[in-house]
């Protein structure tokens, strides 16, 4: 079975061909980061226009690298939610055109389910059920992966996502967008105990996150130092931020795993590339005797292979879309 996956929910235009659910035949990613950097974040209209310009070339390259043609493909999978609406619409409409031209089925994929699926690409032995922490620029979720296509969200962020917190702190520290990776690099030589930052607490739900307090604390710290003419050690601050986010994400995931009886834990989303998050999660799982899975770094950010992989499982489960498929900016995983 060959599935073509198309991703255009944010600032990466990506396409990939995946064979038999887990074998990546090709994966092409065209990133717009350099352009959005000038504005300090993603500009939605620019993102849509670049997707429109790039999508045909990216899909053609993905088919070419896999040495297949549209006729060889069993179905076209596409991200239809959640994300920037104009960006999603480009991918959805393009995928529809392809299915009409090739007479193939159309398979809708939820972006977060795609991130979770990167673990299947990196770990051939992994099968549901398990508990997955998904931390990206737009989402921080603890998710019960009940089967390849059924999910239950048991924890979520009340305000900023973990990646958003990394990016906003990084911006205040003077790093370019997206700043998560710059904090990661600076943290390598920093002292994580140098700054005492608040560990976010959320009343009500024990598995929910809140990162806006941490962000505000970091911004205030920087402003106060500037007003007093003092200089802060940015490596120490980066290490302290990374340590706090890693510990918070891990603590809540371990709490949920223990309460719900999971011994198999996975990590996914852009923030799963973070050195601290990977190390702290891995250590916490080892301490409790839990099996731990994380995607290889090259699959953590948005890509087409994750959509083709999840699209394969959706297709096998009979999940296809008709010609009225629309893009949806906000959609809970439980509604899919
Ligand atoms: O999953 P993703 O590529 O896009 C969304 O679906 O949101 O995640 C992007 C997020 C950004 O906030 C980016 O700064 C963060 O992932 N990120 C990192 C690292 N690499 C990417 N955050 C911390 N450390 C990293 N190494
Ligand atoms: Zn993503």
């Amino acid at each position: 079975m060959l599935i073509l996956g198309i991703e255009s929910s944010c600032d990466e235009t990506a396409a990939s061909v995946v064979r038999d659910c887990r074998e990546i035949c090709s994966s092409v990613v065209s990133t717009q980061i350099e352009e959005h950097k000038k504005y300090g974040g993603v500009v939605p209209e620019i993102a849509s226009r670049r997707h429109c310009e790039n999508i045909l070339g990216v899909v053609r390259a993905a088919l070419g690298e896999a040495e297949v043609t549209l006729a060889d493909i069993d179905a076209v999978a596409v991200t239809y939610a959640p994300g920037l609406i104009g960006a999603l619409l480009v991918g959805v409409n393009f995928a529809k055109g392809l299915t009409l031209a090739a007479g193939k089925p159309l398979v809708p994929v939820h972006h977060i389910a795609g991130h979770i699926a990167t673990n299947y690409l990196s770990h051939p032995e992994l099968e549901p059920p398990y508990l997955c922490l998904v931390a990206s620029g737009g989402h921080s979720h603890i998710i019960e992966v009940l089967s390849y296509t059924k999910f239950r969200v048991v924890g979520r962020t009340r305000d900023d996502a973990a990646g958003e917190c990394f990016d906003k702190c990084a911006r205040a520290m003077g790093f370019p967008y997206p700043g998560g990776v710059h904090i990661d690099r600076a943290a390598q030589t920093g002292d994580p105990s140098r700054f005492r930052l608040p560990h976010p607490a959320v009343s009500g739900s024990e598995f929910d996150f809140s990162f806006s307090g941490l962000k505000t604390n970091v911004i205030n710290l920087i402003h106060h130092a500037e007003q007093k003419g003092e200089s802060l050690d940015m490596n120490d601050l980066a290490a302290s931020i990374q340590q706090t986010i890693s510990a918070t994400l891990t603590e809540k995931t371990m709490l949920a795993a223990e309460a719900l009886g999971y011994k198999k834990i996975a990590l996914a989303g852009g923030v799963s590339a973070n050195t601290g998050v990977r190390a702290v999660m891995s250590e916490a799982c080892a301490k409790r005797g839990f099996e731990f899975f994380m995607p290889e770094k090259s699959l953590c950010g948005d890509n087409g292979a994750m959509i083709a992989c999840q699209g394969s499982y959706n297709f096998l489960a009979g999940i296809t879309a008709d010609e009225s498929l629309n893009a949806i900016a906000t959609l809970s995983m439980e509604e899919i």
Side-chain angles (χ1 to χ4, degrees):
M1 182 179 67
L2 284 174
I3 303 292
L4 169 66
I6 298 175
E7 156 64 35
S8 72
S9 66
C10 190
D11 56 355
E12 261 96 32
T13 319
S16 160
V17 176
V18 163
R19 187 189 307 278
D20 298 335
C21 302
R22 301 200 185 206
E23 185 199 335
I24 302 175
C25 303
S26 66
S27 181
V28 178
V29 180
S30 164
T31 182
Q32 310 170 0
I33 282 180
E34 282 309 314
E35 191 163 5
H36 296 294
K37 224 178 219 175
K38 291 182 257 176
Y39 307 97
V42 178
V43 182
E45 184 174 332
I46 293 177
S48 309
R49 290 172 185 273
R50 294 299 163 263
H51 286 309
C52 191
E53 286 166 10
N54 295 333
I55 197 160
L56 177 53
V58 167
V59 169
R60 201 199 299 277
L63 290 169
E65 266 182 33
E67 297 181 354
V68 299
T69 67
L70 259 189
D72 303 317
I73 297 290
D74 291 285
V76 179
V78 66
T79 309
Y80 74 110
L84 300 172
I85 194 67
L88 288 165
L89 281 168
V90 175
V92 168
N93 252 337
F94 189 85
K96 280 192 195 184
L98 281 184
T99 59
L100 173 69
K104 307 285 176 173
L106 177 64
V107 178
V109 176
H110 190 284
H111 183 77
I112 302 199
H115 273 300
I116 294 171
T118 53
N119 282 293
Y120 303 133
L121 295 167
S122 295
H123 305 282
E125 73 282 19
L126 176 64
E127 284 177 19
Y130 57 93
L131 191 71
C132 189
L133 167 70
V134 183
S136 71
H139 307 272
S140 295
H141 282 353
I142 298 174
I143 297 169
E144 283 186 85
V145 183
L146 304 169
S147 74
Y148 285 109
T149 55
K150 289 264 169 296
F151 308 89
R152 188 182 301 137
V153 181
V154 294
R156 49 172 61 76
T157 182
R158 296 284 183 88
D159 38 59
D160 293 352
E164 199 177 348
C165 182
F166 267 117
D167 294 344
K168 287 178 177 168
C169 291
R171 187 178 183 160
M173 293 163 79
F175 291 120
Y177 174 85
V181 69
H182 296 281
I183 292 198
D184 196 344
R185 270 187 220 129
Q188 311 283 326
T189 52
D191 171 8
S193 61
R194 170 68 187 75
F195 295 95
R196 290 221 159 272
L197 300 171
H199 276 240
V202 180
S203 59
S205 171
E206 51 183 343
F207 311 140
D208 280 357
F209 302 104
S210 165
F211 289 106
S212 68
L214 171 61
K215 169 196 68 186
T216 308
N217 200 282
V218 169
I219 292 172
N220 287 343
L221 207 72
I222 293 169
H223 285 171
H224 289 154
E226 276 169 8
Q227 278 164 359
K228 289 196 216 150
E230 292 169 4
S231 69
L232 292 176
D233 185 314
M234 289 301 174
N235 293 347
D236 288 350
L237 183 56
S240 305
I241 294 167
Q242 181 165 301
Q243 172 63 29
T244 307
I245 294 178
S246 305
T248 306
L249 291 171
T250 303
E251 257 164 46
K252 301 276 173 163
T253 309
M254 294 302 115
L255 260 182
E258 278 159 0
L260 300 165
Y262 284 93
K263 294 191 182 322
K264 226 165 36 168
I265 315 295
L267 179 63
V271 175
S272 63
N274 182 265
T275 316
V277 175
R278 291 170 88 88
V280 175
M281 277 284 285
S282 156
E283 196 182 314
C285 286
K287 207 169 111 192
R288 291 166 179 80
F290 294 166
E291 268 186 285
F292 178 56
F293 302 88
M294 55 188 168
E296 55 205 86
K297 284 202 176 183
S298 61
L299 290 172
C300 293
D302 293 346
N303 62 81
M306 69 189 209
I307 304 306
C309 174
Q310 182 59 34
S312 306
Y313 287 108
N314 286 0
F315 186 51
L316 288 176
I319 301 168
T320 55
D322 66 20
E323 60 189 40
S324 67
L325 179 70
N326 205 344
I328 307 172
T330 310
L331 181 73
S332 154
M333 292 198 80
E334 281 150 355
E335 294 171 59
I336 60 178

